[in-house]
Amino acid sequence: TPALAGVRDSKQLSARQRERLDEAIRAAALAVGVGESSVEEIDTFGIVPATRLAIRRAVDGLGLVPAFVLIDGRGLEMQHIPCRCVVKGDALCLSIAAASIVAKVARDTYMREMDRLYPGYGFARHKGYGTAAHLESLAQLGPSPIHRMSFAPVRHAAARVGAGRQRGVYR
């Protein structure tokens, strides 16, 4: 379909392009599922098991049972549905690229919401990536409830802020 002509790796698109393509993908798709794992799940189980859990939730949220699932990356196979992992799949496969766009738009929307809940971190700008500005706000404010304590820079920032400050307490 011509509406999907611009679909490619989400990292190669501007936010505006991703948002426009997200709408086109949702209009053209039989189903769209977005899955996530909580900070607590990532900290408890680790990033790979939490990613598998998020993939499972996305597939379960489709409202239909797919015959086959393509997954970007490696080592994320699913047990309940036939699948194939494709390294750099978002650059090689239209459906994986479309999924990367939908996921990035959902993540960016979530981070804008978190920016309103936890002002001062700049989540709307850096979207949770470890930019210099994000690390600086983390050093000044300490971790918020949405920071992963299993991530070394967050753990170190929490230690620097000091034991007297509770996680999630703000001025």
Side-chain angles (χ1 to χ4, degrees):
T1 173
L4 301 181
V7 171
R8 59 184 181 275
D9 181 349
S10 64
K11 296 180 291 298
Q12 297 177 358
L13 301 168
S14 70
R16 183 182 207 130
Q17 290 172 315
R18 285 191 301 267
E19 288 171 11
R20 182 184 54 77
L21 286 167
D22 177 72
E23 290 179 18
I25 291 162
R26 289 174 183 276
L30 294 175
V32 172
V34 176
E36 61 183 51
S37 290
S38 70
V39 170
E40 293 79 17
E41 289 168 331
I42 296 168
D43 282 346
T44 300
F45 306 127
I47 194 71
V48 172
T51 301
R52 280 192 194 104
L53 184 57
I55 293 168
R56 174 74 185 251
R57 288 174 176 158
V59 171
D60 289 348
L62 288 173
L64 55 83
V65 178
F68 197 83
V69 175
L70 292 171
I71 301 171
D72 189 21
R74 72 180 79 196
L76 296 168
E77 291 80 9
M78 302 175 67
Q79 295 178 350
H80 69 296
I81 294 178
C83 68
R84 178 176 176 200
C85 292
V86 181
V87 176
K88 300 191 185 296
D90 50 3
L92 300 172
C93 177
L94 180 68
S95 61
I96 293 176
S100 80
I101 291 167
V102 169
K104 180 77 170 119
V105 169
R107 169 75 179 180
D108 289 355
T109 300
Y110 171 78
M111 294 310 292
R112 285 191 299 273
E113 293 169 13
M114 294 302 98
D115 190 63
R116 286 189 291 277
L117 272 175
Y118 307 108
Y121 289 96
F123 290 132
R125 284 188 315 279
H126 57 65
K127 309 297 189 284
Y129 293 105
T131 65
H134 185 184
L135 296 175
E136 183 178 321
S137 65
L138 188 57
Q140 291 176 355
L141 299 171
S144 75
I146 68 165
H147 281 98
R148 293 181 285 134
M149 295 304 288
S150 57
F151 187 57
V154 173
R155 201 170 43 251
H156 297 308
R160 282 192 305 272
V161 168
R165 181 144 189 209
Q166 293 180 341
R167 185 175 183 206
V169 176
Y170 303 94
R171 295 179 220 149

